[in-house]
Amino acid sequence: MDAIVCVKQILDPEMPASAFKVDEASMTIVTPPGVQQVISPFDAQAVEAALQLRDAAGAGTISVLSLGPDSARDAVKHGLAMGADEGYHLNDPAFEDGDSWTTALALSKAIEKIGLPDVLLFGRQAADWDYGVVGGMVAELLDLPSVTVLRSVEWRDGKIGVSRVVSDGFESVSTTTPCVLTISNEFGDPRYPQLRQIMQAAKKDVTVWTPADLGIDPSAIGAAGARVKMERLFVPKNETQVEFIDGDSPAEKAQALARKLREAKII
Amino acid sequence: MASVLVIGEAPDGQLSATSAELLGAATRLAEELGGGVACALIGGALSSAAQAAVAAGAETVYAADHESLAQYHTEAYVPLAAAIVQQDTPQAVLIGQTSIGRDLAPRLAARLDTAVVMDAVDLAVADGRIRATRPCFGGNARQVVTITSDPQIITVRAKSQDALDPDASRRGSITAIAVDPVAPSAAVTGKEQVQSEGVPLNTAEIVVAGGRGLGQESAFRDLEELASVLGAAVGASRAACDLGWYPPAQQVGLTGTVVSPTLYLAVAISGASQHMAGCGGSKSIVAINKDPGANIYNFCRFGVVEDYQKVLPPLTAALRELLQD
Ligand SMILES: Cc1cc2nc3c(=O)[nH]c(=O)nc-3n(C[C@H](O)[C@H](O)[C@H](O)COP(=O)(O)OP(=O)(O)OC[C@H]3O[C@@H](n4cnc5c(N)ncnc54)[C@H](O)[C@@H]3O)c2cc1C
Ligand SMILES: Nc1ncnc2c1ncn2[C@@H]1O[C@H](COP(=O)(O)O)[C@@H](O)[C@H]1O
């Protein structure tokens, strides 16, 4: 059971909301002091899913693939430390400031170059821009079946059984391989690499590819190829003022709240 | 050819509320773009949904009606949606940001060699193209974007747009789309419906939600009691769902359900941005949280800084009394 997991490095999405700032002029996020770049959480869960599938199948190669600047190498290393075998990093200025389309194009070329595995895994969405597009686009570009937003995956002798999270419950789906799967948080916590594994991963090589290595025209990727143009980036204003309910005891506060809700015609 | 084509949903043969909202948005956008509104429906037993789409603003309805399409299926829906878009050649395609839309839109965009913007909450026209505003960074920020390729495909958040008043006297044409069922590579083999007892979350006027600070699964029974007094739905934070205290289908937030009730009562929820992304549109937010510095209080109309265990029983009693008369 061979798999490729696409992982993105992002600013830690668990940072406190109060630390979040944007620079409206350059339309970029201001990295607050002390906040780290991390592997996007759904992507770590996708690596976990790949490792579990391999365990179930008994053997296989897990590759981790990331497109991003120099620092994105750490996201690949995180996947290797979790137990993946090979790392690939698409790193070149021409890849920068792309959109879902240019990312999907570059990743699909890299996947073809690595060799199509049984399973391609993605996060349900990158927890920075929250798009949720790249997995589906790669599936389409490579003409593969896709099943999205999964809480579980199972290896069934060359086929894959999954449980999808849908609005009113769960759907069981059985798919042939090769296929594209996108993983949601319901999958459960990914394993956390131990120090020894981090040291081992540090020694592993990560293959770096440029657009030329993938046979992509630089005008098709990055800012040059992007089809979504950002006009503005801002933090929405919030002018709500909370009124804390007074009272001598919790019960009095509860009663006062009930009265306030009625007076304000909220109930 | 329409300016704006809506890909609607008709589960159980009924046009969904979100589809009607999208047709309302499409009507407003098409007016500015100087063209018409069309609606694509893919499903089973669509005749009344097609009529409803006309009443909701569609001048042309494309109906791919076949029993094999009663349930959403990627491999069947994507080619049909693509065929309808190619037949109609609209400037823009609107799709709901639903389980179906999330799955369909990215593949459809790649198949049509164009781009897609997900989860728009505001749509406007500038220089003949659509400008979509969408939350990002877990709800911390918003971006305004334009798609430069055609057609412009945009998924739109439920309840972010107003439907037109349905008007049965509106006239529209209904075009049947030929359906050729294919054996899929990825087949749906089962469905587990998670029945939420009581009021459904996404349409509730009042939502009572619980978080990790409840400390125990059984506290949700107390929230359910409060909810039944208020006629409310019960929601949960992701932390509470991840702990197995409440079903994922009841999760409110970025990756859960987006709710916009008149009252959102958050109990022992800290108010992380990804949670607020799912309830920030509520008319009034009220929190019970023992930490006066909790982020949720930045969004609240009223707050009770207390241990929820001491507040819930008297609150339930007081509301029961109040709502009796
Ligand atoms: C990519 C991504 C997507 C996410 N999507 C979602 C999502 O869709 N929905 C979602 O909810 N979260 C989501 N999260 C998680 C989110 O960041 C928070 O971790 C989560 O919302 C926290 O849940 P909570 O408020 O219940 O728990 P906590 O943050 O632990 O807060 C518990 C609160 O309870 C209070 N408390 C404790 N004891 C008591 C008591 N006895 N009485 C009163 N108050 C008490 C505490 O003061 C605290 O404020 C996402 C995170 C990421 C990274
Ligand atoms: N730059 C990237 N490098 C590798 N994988 C990515 C990248 N961007 C997105 N992905 C993958 O695609 C998924 C969806 O991303 P998105 O469509 O941007 O929300 C992510 O969870 C990753 O698995």
Side-chain angles (χ1 to χ4, degrees):
Chain A
M1 201 295 309
D2 295 340
I4 299 176
V5 191
C6 292
V7 303
K8 186 179 186 189
Q9 189 189 47
I10 64 167
L11 201 60
D12 188 350
E14 309 256 21
M15 75 168 121
S18 56
F20 186 87
K21 288 196 175 55
V22 303
D23 178 35
E24 291 195 23
S26 63
M27 294 190 284
T28 52
I29 310 299
V30 181
T31 304
V35 175
Q36 304 294 314
Q37 299 276 337
V38 299
I39 182 172
S40 184
F42 305 115
D43 301 356
Q45 288 172 302
V47 175
E48 178 65 40
L51 296 171
Q52 289 182 17
L53 284 172
R54 180 179 61 184
D55 286 348
T61 303
I62 313 282
S63 305
V64 177
L65 168 63
S66 188
L67 178 155
D70 293 347
S71 64
R73 186 185 167 87
D74 293 342
V76 176
K77 290 276 180 181
H78 187 97
L80 293 172
M82 283 177 72
D85 307 289
E86 290 177 7
Y88 298 88
H89 184 187
L90 311 188
N91 184 7
D92 190 89
F95 287 121
E96 277 171 29
D97 296 322
D99 62 4
S100 317
W101 166 260
T102 59
T103 303
L105 182 70
L107 293 176
S108 63
K109 295 286 182 205
I111 289 161
E112 281 176 329
K113 190 171 164 98
I114 296 167
L116 200 59
D118 299 291
V119 181
L120 288 171
L121 285 142
F122 296 81
R124 61 170 290 164
Q125 66 201 54
D128 50 0
W129 295 99
D130 294 326
Y131 256 88
V133 166
V134 170
M137 279 194 162
V138 168
E140 191 63 32
L141 290 172
L142 297 175
D143 197 17
L144 299 175
S146 57
V147 204
T148 57
V149 192
L150 307 182
R151 68 159 173 175
S152 69
V153 297
E154 206 183 293
W155 177 255
R156 294 181 186 152
D157 283 330
K159 278 195 142 201
I160 299 280
V162 302
S163 176
R164 278 190 82 203
V165 183
V166 292
S167 55
D168 58 348
F170 307 100
E171 218 171 62
S172 309
V173 179
S174 168
T175 176
T176 54
T177 54
C179 63
V180 166
L181 308 175
T182 80
I183 304 298
S184 186
N185 52 281
E186 288 83 357
F187 190 85
D189 289 338
R191 69 195 68 184
Y192 205 77
Q194 304 297 312
L195 189 60
R196 187 178 52 84
Q197 295 168 302
I198 294 171
M199 312 263 280
Q200 278 169 350
K203 285 189 229 128
K204 275 194 187 156
D205 283 334
V206 172
T207 305
V208 179
W209 283 334
T210 63
D213 295 321
L214 301 176
I216 310 178
D217 188 330
S219 69
I221 49 160
R227 297 161 169 195
V228 175
K229 185 170 163 263
M230 185 150 54
E231 315 277 359
R232 233 190 117 194
L233 180 69
F234 62 101
V235 173
K237 284 216 170 45
N238 162 33
E239 270 139 17
T240 321
Q241 269 292 336
V242 61
E243 176 183 343
F244 285 120
I245 307 288
D246 286 329
D248 289 337
S249 68
E252 275 183 26
K253 289 185 185 178
Q255 284 145 8
L257 174 62
R259 277 197 306 276
K260 292 266 187 194
L261 290 174
R262 178 40 73 84
E263 279 161 20
K265 300 199 168 59
I266 296 172
I267 55 164
Chain B
M1 172 186 151
S3 285
V4 186
L5 171 81
V6 170
I7 299 187
E9 291 179 31
D12 313 316
Q14 301 299 314
L15 188 74
S16 74
T18 307
S19 305
E21 292 158 16
L22 297 194
L23 286 165
T27 304
R28 290 183 287 277
L29 294 168
E31 215 160 88
E32 284 191 64
L33 293 167
V37 174
C39 181
L41 291 175
I42 303 170
L46 290 175
S47 52
S48 75
Q51 291 300 338
V54 171
E59 288 141 332
T60 314
V61 176
Y62 301 92
D65 195 338
H66 193 274
E67 57 187 7
S68 66
L69 300 171
Q71 196 169 24
Y72 173 75
H73 191 266
T74 314
E75 278 162 274
Y77 275 52
V78 172
L80 286 166
I84 294 169
V85 174
Q86 276 159 341
Q87 179 168 341
D88 189 81
T89 62
Q91 290 167 270
V93 179
L94 302 186
I95 305 174
Q97 173 78 359
T98 59
S99 292
I100 292 176
R102 281 189 170 119
D103 189 81
L104 175 77
R107 286 202 80 132
L108 179 66
R111 183 160 299 201
L112 296 171
D113 195 10
T114 186
V116 61
V117 162
M118 304 295 285
D119 201 19
V121 294
D122 191 45
L123 301 165
V125 174
D127 305 325
R129 300 193 79 81
I130 296 181
R131 253 178 211 200
T133 304
R134 63 183 297 276
C136 50
F137 288 85
N140 278 314
R142 292 200 167 190
Q143 62 169 176
V144 181
V145 292
T146 309
I147 298 175
T148 58
S149 55
D150 290 307
Q152 305 156 64
I153 301 185
I154 301 166
T155 71
V156 182
R157 186 176 283 197
K159 289 206 260 180
S160 67
Q161 310 294 315
D162 294 321
L164 308 176
D165 289 328
D167 180 353
S169 70
R170 281 202 183 95
R171 290 281 155 258
S173 65
I174 297 172
T175 306
I177 298 294
V179 179
D180 207 1
V182 282
S185 318
V188 179
T189 55
K191 174 100 195 229
E192 180 190 329
Q193 211 125 355
V194 180
Q195 289 293 2
S196 68
E197 298 193 2
V199 185
L201 194 55
N202 56 348
T203 53
E205 278 298 308
I206 302 180
V207 174
V208 176
R212 175 158 40 202
L214 291 175
Q216 53 202 345
E217 183 179 358
S218 62
F220 273 96
R221 302 294 87 74
D222 303 326
L223 293 189
E224 283 166 354
E225 189 188 340
L226 173 58
S228 79
V229 169
L230 288 167
V234 179
S237 73
R238 175 170 138 189
C241 294
D242 284 353
L243 285 160
W245 294 350
Y246 226 55
Q250 301 305 109
Q251 181 186 311
V252 172
L254 179 69
T255 58
T257 303
V258 176
V259 299
S260 43
T262 50
L263 170 61
Y264 188 80
L265 178 58
V267 184
I269 290 177
S270 62
S273 49
Q274 296 92 351
H275 185 79
M276 300 318 294
C279 64
S282 308
K283 269 219 187 72
S284 300
I285 299 177
V286 174
I288 302 171
N289 191 311
K290 66 180 184 188
D291 172 12
N295 190 50
I296 187 113
Y297 285 134
N298 291 322
F299 302 88
C300 280
R301 175 95 182 260
F302 300 118
V304 179
V305 182
E306 279 291 348
D307 180 348
Y308 82 91
Q309 299 196 38
K310 301 198 181 111
V311 180
L312 270 194
L315 181 63
T316 307
L319 289 168
R320 185 175 278 131
E321 195 174 318
L322 200 67
L323 293 166
Q324 248 164 19
D325 15 277

